Amino acid sequence: LIDELTALDTAYTEGLARCERDLIVVSHEAYGYLTDRYGLEQVGVSGLDPESEPSPQRIAEVQNLVRDEGVTTIFYERLVSPAVAETMADDLGIDAAVLDPIEGLSDDTADETYLTLMEQNLEALRTANGCS
């Protein structure tokens, strides 16, 4: 297990080392450990609480940031409604995608493991941030 986790850490370190952007926009700020470790910055649409509705002012702020920074994807969690993220992404003409905080499994992820979910997250981050 230690070897697998070390390999995963290496994959993240190398996979996120050369990206066009280091900013990720997320439905809420659940990824502090991930972003701190791999040099990313997260901006949450609704702050820390996944269940709170963002204010119109906050939505406008995030939309402006997305445009200014060239963000291509707004991430949402699998176990939380994607409605706000998907609506914002549609309005901006960008993608909405899952970034799994691995808090629990759903019907869609029942056969997954921590390692496979983290590998999927890495690919989603690399695609969204234009990593080479």
Side-chain angles (χ1 to χ4, degrees):
L1 179 61
I2 290 171
D3 290 342
E4 290 176 310
L5 291 172
T6 300
L8 180 64
D9 179 54
T10 300
Y12 265 79
T13 299
E14 292 174 359
L16 298 173
R18 292 172 307 282
C19 301
E20 295 172 13
R21 288 167 298 286
D22 62 1
L23 175 68
I24 61 171
V25 175
V26 294
S27 57
H28 86 281
E29 296 177 3
Y31 306 93
Y33 291 115
L34 177 77
T35 57
D36 288 348
R37 180 161 184 99
Y38 300 107
L40 300 171
E41 177 188 353
Q42 71 174 329
V43 171
V45 175
S46 61
L48 294 174
D49 182 3
E51 301 300 327
S52 68
E53 288 291 321
S55 69
Q57 178 183 355
R58 181 64 183 163
I59 290 173
E61 289 171 0
V62 174
Q63 286 177 327
N64 288 335
L65 181 70
V66 165
R67 287 185 196 102
D68 292 347
E69 298 294 327
V71 171
T72 65
T73 306
I74 297 177
F75 290 105
Y76 61 90
E77 296 179 35
R78 195 177 310 272
L79 299 177
V80 177
S81 172
V84 172
E86 289 176 340
T87 300
M88 286 183 65
D90 285 346
D91 289 348
L92 292 162
I94 63 173
D95 295 324
V98 171
L99 192 61
D100 200 317
I102 313 177
E103 293 175 334
L105 296 176
S106 68
D107 291 342
D108 294 336
T109 60
D111 295 333
E112 301 290 344
T113 67
Y114 175 83
L115 293 169
T116 61
L117 289 171
M118 287 300 290
E119 289 166 356
Q120 290 171 22
N121 283 348
L122 175 57
E123 286 311 306
L125 290 167
R126 288 178 47 80
T127 298
N129 284 12
C131 304
S132 58

